[in-house]
């Protein structure tokens, strides 16, 4: 809780692109939690070259799409679904494309329940969630 502030350092690799090892992720009550310093670094990486909110959202979509290991299974409304991919809608929302049986549905990545264990790349979803809440700066 509370806002995140820029850390003094994130190890020796602050100037490099932050890559998070699975060992850096902590699982708390089934939720994935990434340290504030790492989230800040991911947010900085995703938004560094973006000029406005639309471009920032597009950059987050790119980072999630490139780093999230899909497909993976999760539970929604008590049912197992498969997250097949992520997409950016015409109104600039990042959504997960979920399927069950022959049905497909898009779910906001902000509302997507994450499984435990979480798939690789989930830290980008966490960073996007923090950024979109406005509590990171």
């Amino acid at each position: 809780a509370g806002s995140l502030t820029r850390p003094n350092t994130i190890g020796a690799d602050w100037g490099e692109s932050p890559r998070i090892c699975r060992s850096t992720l902590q699982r708390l009550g089934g939720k994935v939690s990434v340290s504030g310093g790492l989230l800040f670094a991911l947010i900085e990486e995703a938004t560094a070259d973006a000029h406005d909110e639309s471009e920032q959202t597009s950059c987050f979509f790119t980072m999630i799409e490139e780093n999230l290991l899909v497909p993976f299974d999760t539970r929604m409304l008590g049912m197992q679904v498969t997250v097949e991919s992520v997409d950016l809608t015409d109104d600039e929302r990042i959504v997960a494309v979920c399927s069950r049986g022959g049905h497909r549905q898009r779910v906001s990545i902000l509302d997507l329940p994450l499984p435990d264990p979480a798939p690789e790349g989930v830290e980008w979803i966490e960073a996007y969630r923090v950024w979109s809440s406005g509590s990171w700066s």
Side-chain angles (χ1 to χ4, degrees), residues 45-66:
E45 181 177 349
T47 60
D49 296 326
H51 299 288
D52 58 25
E53 189 172 325
S54 175
E55 287 183 13
Q56 291 172 347
T57 300
S58 180
C59 290
F60 267 108
F61 166 71
T62 299
M63 299 308 270
I64 293 169
E65 183 181 45
E66 289 178 357

Side-chain angles (χ1 to χ4, degrees), residues 13-75:
D13 298 323
W14 173 253
E16 297 177 12
S17 173
R19 295 290 170 232
I20 298 176
C21 302
R22 182 161 295 286
S23 63
T24 8
L25 299 177
Q26 301 170 327
R27 288 168 203 344
L28 304 171
K31 286 190 77 176
V32 174
S33 179
V34 180
S35 75
L38 291 172
L39 282 176
F40 185 88
L42 293 172
I43 292 167
E44 286 256 314
E45 181 177 349
T47 60
D49 296 326
H51 299 288
D52 58 25
E53 189 172 325
S54 175
E55 287 183 13
Q56 291 172 347
T57 300
S58 180
C59 290
F60 267 108
F61 166 71
T62 299
M63 299 308 270
I64 293 169
E65 183 181 45
E66 289 178 357
N67 291 284
L68 185 64
L69 185 61
V70 291
F72 65 88
D73 292 334
T74 192
R75 295 189 69 76

